[in-house]
């Protein structure tokens, strides 16, 4: 089954042209752009279409095997089946279950109700409980929810619980980490070939490690807590091939915004998104995490990046659990393949109020903004802050709007204060941020990415225009329903802070 | 399933999985299902009273008593006022993040969640889903466009809708986690339409959904629409969610 899109993108990247299914959602400008694209196609890398394969069913003896994609292979191994096809419903063994303070209590409630008040979890070492969403707040229920997690972890002797008790000083809590998806990676819980489920839609972030990682609800999580298994449907895979050297003004955030803008917020619903190519290979782990993080914004079930030396090196000092990476077979079937000429891409934003409302940053330069937010699992990692610092350093000027910095985890916070920024003569991110007039980096957590309790730091309590390195910009996402959120890369966010308008980072990164 | 229905609005049925397969994420094996004597439907009078009883489930996930399911081979039917929303209604609009401190498995907080259902809709929606002084909605059927329930994996979303009194959502398409959560919790039926019903219905229209016939009737406009069969997801939701269903069918896996 092949689905396709013709790329009307004005940014002159293009997408392989497959059989057009009469996609009715084309903007009217597409016609002109299509002609333009066709002209360019003949001069440049011609897209390679995934060969149209007629479906080969395995023989009943099971000796004939067809090629499988990475996602299919991971699920096949986890369900102890030699062969899987998209659409198969299979019971999968779960390697890691993650939950946090928002969904943990509900999942625990369901677990106890269904398996019994004194039931024991399936494996105390495979559950990772990470308070991160509503932490630094006076909201009593939010604080109570962390207590509920603590009580459960004590009862069940959960090995990995990143607790916090002293809310006035995050540093006084040695176990506390911060944003779950970044903590999972930093603590070595993400491993190639494994199945990781979490009660959070951005669990797909971990796909950067070449594993199957997806978000589930409380009820499914309650089920996993008791059984260590879940019924999952095997998704077909969309393949995204990105080749070429990454321009110095682009970040992974721009790549994923490009893709989501291309296929829309439902373009990958029930599907797996596989990211390959020399550009992807050149990305470090945190950039790969950014790429996979927003898979859910396209409706995707999971994202995967094949594990390689970058992955293995990252994991060296973080985990001693043995793992076995898997890779898509050469003859695997993909639903569609999209190719991007990275050299043609430009810094992007997603305008209010949808992650697929893509626009060139430079075309939004007349949009006056009120604030900038740099944080979250999407854009609050060490690499994201290093990137923002680069832009501030290049400019040497001060920001024109309040600029909120929320490191994802304690480790990121520490990096901001200790890592020297390349080319800065020994200065750290924190020093550069201070000189630029940014707010002091805040306590690590999810912060205002999703609004949260009213007293959350940097929450948008009035209708403002914000450029943010976060992942969603639906109405009310950061608090106020009339707030306007422009999603962007850390480069673009920093550049915008310096001018007070949505700004292409090339204004500063020469 | 607890059979105390304060307003019998429809027949509860326990269909066998011989129903047509749909794009549901769960495909349980075929099972033999007992049939029960039917409940009669009491047609609503023209003076429609707000739907207060949340019939199938389970305040809040109260354990169902399997033996008392009243059902027969005819359809599950929902009848009531519909509320119409557009495309890409994300979970932040269904239940804004600030209310996620409420834990759905806690009975009192379950009810409170319901009172905040769809409070995140922008002010362009002139008619509120729930009146300011009320905790339940008078719209038992929610009609949406494409990609309903996109965004977060928060199960609070289908729970809030169910707790508010929604029986079924009829949308052009769903985001996968929302669909999955709706089935797993049994809170609402996530029904798919064949056409964009959201463009042909108005908030306040009186509609009937005949699940077995896969049909929606808009009594206000007099039009009928085909729905995609709920398929294998139906019995799971009717049972009260995946755990209730698994217990009922003897499916709960042993460790």
């Amino acid at each position: 089954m092949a689905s396709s899109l013709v790329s009307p993108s004005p940014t002159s990247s293009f997408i392989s042209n497959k059989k057009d299914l009469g996609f009715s959602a084309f903007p009217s400008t597409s016609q002109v752009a299509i002609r333009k694209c066709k002209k360019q196609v003949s001069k440049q890398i011609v897209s390679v279409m995934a060969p149209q394969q007629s479906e080969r069913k395995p023989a009943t003896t099971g000796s004939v095997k067809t090629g499988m994609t990475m996602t299919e292979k991971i699920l096949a191994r986890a369900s102890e089946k030699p062969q899987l096809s998209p659409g198969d419903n299979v019971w999968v063994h779960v390697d890691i279950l993650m939950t946090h303070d928002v969904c943990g209590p509900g999942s625990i409630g369901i677990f106890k109700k269904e398996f019994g008040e004194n039931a024991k979890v399936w494996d105390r070492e495979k559950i990772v409980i990470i308070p991160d969403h509503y932490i630094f707040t006076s909201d009593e229920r939010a604080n109570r929810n962390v207590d509920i997690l603590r009580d459960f972890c004590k009862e069940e002797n959960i090995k990995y619980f990143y607790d916090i008790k002293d809310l006035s000083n995050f540093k006084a809590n040695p176990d506390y980490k911060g944003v779950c998806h970044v903590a999972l990676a930093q603590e070595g819980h993400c491993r190639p070939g494994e199945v990781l489920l979490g009660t959070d839609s951005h669990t797909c972030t971990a796909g950067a490690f070449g594993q199957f990682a997806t978000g589930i609800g409380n009820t499914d999580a309650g089920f996993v807590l008791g059984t260590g298994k879940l019924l999952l449907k095997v998704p077909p895979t969309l393949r995204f091939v990105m080749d070429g050297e990454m321009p110095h003004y682009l970040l992974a955030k721009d790549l994923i915004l490009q893709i989501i803008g291309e296929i829309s917020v439902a373009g990958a619903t029930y599907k797996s998104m596989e990211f390959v190519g020399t550009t992807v290979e050149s990305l470090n782990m945190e950039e790969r995490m950014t790429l996979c993080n927003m898979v859910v914004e396209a409706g995707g079930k999971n994202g995967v990046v094949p594990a390689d030396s970058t992955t293995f090196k990252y994991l060296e000092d973080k985990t001693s659990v043995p793992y076995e990476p898997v890779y898509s077979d050469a003859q695997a079937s993909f639903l569609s393949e999209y190719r991007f000429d990275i050299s043609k891409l430009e810094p992007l934003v997603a305008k209010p109020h949808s992650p697929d409302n893509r626009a060139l940053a430079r075309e939004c330069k007349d949009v006056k903004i009120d604030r900038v937010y740099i944080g979250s699992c999407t854009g609050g990692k060490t690499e994201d802050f290093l990137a923002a610092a680069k832009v501030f350093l290049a400019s040497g000027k001060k920001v024109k709007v309040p600029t909120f910095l929320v490191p994802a985890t304690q480790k990121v916070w520490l990096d901001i204060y200790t890592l020297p920024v390349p080319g800065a003569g020994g200065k750290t991110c924190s020093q550069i941020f201070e000189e630029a007039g940014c707010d002091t980096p805040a306590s690590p957590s999810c912060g205002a990415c999703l609004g949260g309790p009213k007293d959350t730091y940097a929450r948008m309590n009035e209708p403002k225009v914000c450029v943010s390195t976060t992942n969603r910009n639906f109405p009310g996402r950061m608090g106020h329903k009339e707030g306007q959120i422009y999603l962007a890369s850390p480069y673009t966010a920093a550049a915008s802070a310096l001018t007070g308008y949505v700004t292409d980072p090339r204004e500063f990164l020469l | 399933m607890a059979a105390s229905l304060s307003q019998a609005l429809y027949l509860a049925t326990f269909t066998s999985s011989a129903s047509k397969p749909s794009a549901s994420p769960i495909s349980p094996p075929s099972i033999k299902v007992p049939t029960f004597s039917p409940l009669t439907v009491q047609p609503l009078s023209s003076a429609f009273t707000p739907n207060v009883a949340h019939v199938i489930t389970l305040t809040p996930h109260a354990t169902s008593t399997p033996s008392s399911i009243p059902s027969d081979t005819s359809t599950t039917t929902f009848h009531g006022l519909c509320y119409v929303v557009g495309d890409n209604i994300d979970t932040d609009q269904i239940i804004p993040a600030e209310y996620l401190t409420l834990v759905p498995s806690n009975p009192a907080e379950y009810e409170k969640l319901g009172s905040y259902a769809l409070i995140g809709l922008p002010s362009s929606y002139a008619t509120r889903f729930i009146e300011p002084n009320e905790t339940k909605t008078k719209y038992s059927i929610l009609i949406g466009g494409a990609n309903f329930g996109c965004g977060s994996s928060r199960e609070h979303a289908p729970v809030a809708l169910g707790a508010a009194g929604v029986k079924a959502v009829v949308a052009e398409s769903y985001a996968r986690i929302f669909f999955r959560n709706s089935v797993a919790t049994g809170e609402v039926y996530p029904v798919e339409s064949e056409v964009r019903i959201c463009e042909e219905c108005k908030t306040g229209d009186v509609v009937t959904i005949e699940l077995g016939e896969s049909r929606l009737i808009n009594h206000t406009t007099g039009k009928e629409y085909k729905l995609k069969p709920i398929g294998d997801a139906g019995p799971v939701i009717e049972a009260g969610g995946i755990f209730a269903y698994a217990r009922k069918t003897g499916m709960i896996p042993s460790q």
Side-chain angles (χ1 to χ4, degrees):
Chain A
M1 173 187 151
S3 66
S4 66
L5 275 179
V6 176
S7 163
S9 166
T11 64
S12 63
S13 70
F14 65 92
I15 287 195
S16 58
N17 190 351
K18 303 288 158 64
K19 240 188 316 164
D20 192 344
L21 290 181
F23 214 84
S24 58
F26 281 169
S28 53
T29 53
S30 63
Q31 290 311 308
V32 175
I34 289 170
R35 253 173 263 132
K36 238 169 131 187
C37 279
K38 280 194 177 148
K39 237 184 150 186
Q40 287 167 343
V41 165
S42 58
K43 292 182 188 158
Q44 293 168 1
I45 304 167
V46 177
S47 60
V48 173
M49 200 156 144
Q52 297 291 308
Q53 295 177 351
S54 55
E55 186 154 323
R56 279 177 60 208
K57 299 213 173 13
T60 47
T61 56
S63 55
V64 177
K65 289 189 187 171
T66 52
M68 289 194 284
T69 64
M70 255 180 89
T71 295
E72 288 157 22
K73 277 191 174 174
I74 296 169
L75 293 178
R77 195 163 71 187
S79 59
E80 292 167 39
K81 292 195 164 13
Q83 182 75 37
L84 283 185
S85 300
D88 290 347
N89 286 298
V90 288
W91 286 100
V92 166
H93 292 282
V94 178
D95 291 292
I96 298 277
L97 174 72
M98 182 281 295
T99 190
H100 49 51
D101 55 301
V102 167
C103 295
S107 306
I108 291 165
I110 291 170
F111 167 69
K112 289 192 167 192
K113 199 195 122 231
E114 303 292 349
F115 292 94
E117 267 304 313
N118 300 317
K120 288 283 163 244
V121 295
W122 105 94
D123 190 327
R124 59 170 283 275
E125 297 197 8
K126 293 191 174 173
I127 299 164
V128 186
I129 302 194
I130 314 180
D132 65 350
H133 274 58
Y134 304 152
I135 305 300
F136 304 103
T137 170
S138 57
D139 185 303
E140 278 175 12
R141 262 201 314 260
N143 299 334
R144 170 211 62 178
N145 288 344
V146 180
D147 293 339
I148 291 175
L149 296 182
R150 187 176 310 110
D151 292 340
F152 182 72
C153 289
K154 217 185 285 179
E155 283 164 24
E156 300 280 341
N157 195 17
I158 299 292
K159 185 170 180 184
Y160 302 107
F161 173 48
Y162 301 129
D163 195 6
I164 180 164
K165 287 188 177 129
D166 184 349
L167 305 181
S168 63
N169 178 14
F170 70 89
K171 285 175 255 169
N173 302 275
D175 293 334
Y176 179 69
K177 307 293 169 197
V179 175
C180 57
H181 308 300
V182 183
L184 280 172
Q186 291 178 334
E187 298 306 309
H189 296 300
C190 302
R191 289 174 289 265
E194 291 195 0
V195 171
L196 189 156
L197 302 180
T199 57
D200 193 90
S201 59
H202 292 111
T203 306
C204 50
T205 305
F209 289 85
Q211 62 176 146
F212 179 89
T214 195
I216 57 175
N218 297 358
T219 302
D220 279 339
F223 190 93
V224 177
L225 280 170
T227 65
K229 297 201 276 272
L230 197 66
L231 191 59
L232 291 175
K233 184 184 268 200
V234 179
T237 300
L238 302 174
R239 196 174 227 199
F240 297 88
V241 186
M242 288 172 277
D243 285 322
E245 196 184 315
M246 189 79 152
H248 67 274
Y249 43 82
L250 289 188
L251 290 170
K253 181 68 170 279
D254 296 297
L255 301 184
I256 191 64
L257 284 180
Q258 174 74 22
I259 292 172
I260 297 169
E262 210 62 61
I263 67 176
S264 91
V265 287
T269 301
Y270 283 105
K271 302 180 183 103
S272 178
M273 296 174 73
E274 188 175 304
F275 303 104
V276 296
T278 56
T279 315
V280 178
E281 287 160 30
S282 75
L283 298 177
N284 57 48
M285 286 316 297
E286 293 197 342
E287 282 279 87
R288 296 178 189 192
M289 285 164 67
T290 304
L291 200 59
C292 290
N293 173 281
M294 288 184 71
V295 153
V296 65
E297 266 57 78
K301 184 159 182 154
N302 72 303
V304 276
V305 173
D308 57 13
S309 52
T310 306
T311 322
F312 307 141
K313 187 138 207 320
Y314 181 93
L315 290 173
E316 246 168 33
D317 60 346
K318 294 184 179 66
T319 184
S320 52
V321 176
Y323 55 83
E324 200 188 310
V326 294
Y327 303 93
S328 292
D329 293 326
Q331 71 275 36
S333 277
F334 295 92
L335 205 56
S336 297
E337 187 170 284
Y338 300 83
R339 280 183 180 256
F340 292 85
D341 180 359
I342 298 303
S343 66
K344 293 284 185 311
L345 298 187
E346 300 184 64
L348 298 170
V349 293
K351 299 187 292 186
H353 298 274
S354 177
D356 66 2
N357 194 4
R358 180 186 63 184
L360 293 175
R362 62 176 167 80
E363 284 180 353
C364 298
K365 60 180 170 55
D366 293 328
V367 176
K368 191 166 195 306
I369 66 174
D370 300 307
R371 49 166 60 186
V372 167
Y373 185 95
I374 301 178
S376 82
C377 49
T378 317
K381 307 182 285 299
T382 301
E383 291 295 325
D384 301 309
F385 286 105
L386 283 171
K390 215 194 233 173
V391 173
F392 291 131
L393 185 70
S395 151
K397 302 267 194 330
K398 285 196 183 301
V399 295
K400 294 221 162 71
V401 294
T403 302
F404 304 106
L405 310 172
V406 185
T409 63
Q410 285 226 42
K411 184 167 193 310
V412 174
W413 185 93
L414 201 61
D415 288 344
I416 289 176
Y417 278 89
T418 56
L419 287 183
V421 176
K427 279 194 205 159
T428 62
C429 285
S430 58
Q431 287 170 315
I432 293 169
F433 292 148
E434 195 182 325
E435 281 167 18
C438 300
D439 264 38
T440 309
S443 301
S445 78
C446 297
C449 170
L450 72 164
K454 291 268 179 359
D455 63 346
T456 303
Y457 175 76
R459 187 183 196 276
M460 201 189 291
N461 293 322
E462 290 148 348
K464 300 260 185 222
V465 182
C466 177
V467 174
S468 176
T469 64
T470 54
N471 43 62
R472 293 199 189 111
N473 57 353
F474 295 115
R477 173 67 179 176
M478 290 183 90
H480 199 282
K481 272 193 223 180
E482 266 92 65
Q484 313 241 330
I485 302 163
Y486 288 76
L487 302 177
S489 79
Y491 281 162
T492 305
S496 305
L498 288 166
T499 63
Y501 291 80
V502 175
T503 302
D504 187 309
R506 285 175 290 187
E507 298 290 314
F508 300 100
L509 296 172
L510 305 159
Chain B
M1 204 175 328
S4 54
L5 309 171
S6 50
Q7 285 179 11
L9 291 175
Y10 59 88
L11 299 169
T13 200
F14 201 85
T15 58
S16 75
S17 48
S19 48
K20 281 187 246 165
S22 72
S24 69
I26 314 165
S27 302
S30 300
I31 41 119
K32 283 235 165 56
V33 170
T35 56
F36 299 87
S37 54
L39 264 185
T40 41
V41 176
Q42 284 162 24
L44 291 171
S45 63
S46 52
F48 179 79
T49 48
N51 173 26
V52 177
H54 185 80
V55 188
I56 269 201
T57 37
L58 11 183
T59 320
H61 296 285
T63 24
S64 355
T65 40
S67 56
S68 56
I69 307 170
S71 72
D72 72 342
T73 50
S74 65
T75 69
T76 297
T77 307
F78 308 115
H79 182 87
L81 301 181
C82 72
Y83 188 91
V84 183
V85 293
D87 295 323
N88 300 317
I89 299 297
D90 76 296
T91 46
D92 278 294
Q93 293 179 68
I94 298 174
I95 184 79
E98 64 190 283
Y99 304 112
L100 299 185
T101 49
L102 296 163
V103 176
S105 53
N106 176 317
E109 296 184 16
Y110 170 88
E111 294 297 331
K112 234 175 139 48
L113 265 178
S115 69
Y116 295 122
L118 287 172
I119 203 170
L121 285 178
S123 46
S124 49
Y125 285 87
T127 312
R128 286 188 58 142
F129 186 65
I130 300 177
E131 294 304 314
N133 50 330
E134 309 245 329
T135 54
K136 302 270 182 206
T137 183
K138 58 183 194 202
Y139 307 97
S140 55
I141 291 153
L142 188 57
I143 297 184
N147 203 22
F148 185 90
C150 61
S152 165
S153 66
R154 63 190 71 153
E155 204 168 81
H156 307 67
V159 167
L161 292 177
V166 175
K167 299 289 178 300
V169 182
V170 181
E172 198 189 342
S173 62
Y174 292 91
R176 58 162 291 271
I177 310 181
F178 178 88
F179 185 95
R180 198 186 164 89
N181 288 344
S182 297
V183 179
T185 56
E187 285 287 343
V188 292
Y189 283 84
V191 186
E192 282 172 85
S193 59
E194 298 262 349
V195 298
R196 284 177 67 75
I197 297 189
C198 54
E199 283 175 11
E200 307 209 7
C201 297
K202 289 204 169 30
T203 295
D205 285 355
V206 179
V207 305
T208 298
I209 295 175
E210 292 169 354
L211 215 56
E213 304 293 311
S214 298
R215 179 167 64 191
L216 182 145
I217 305 164
N218 184 327
H219 299 287
T220 308
T221 62
K223 285 181 149 175
E224 276 186 27
Y225 302 92
K226 249 181 81 65
L227 303 172
K228 294 192 183 161
I230 191 75
D232 291 341
V236 179
I237 301 166
E238 274 159 30
I242 189 164
F243 276 108
Y245 182 84
R247 270 196 299 272
K248 197 161 291 144
T249 57
M251 256 183 85
I252 297 249
S254 48
Q255 296 210 31

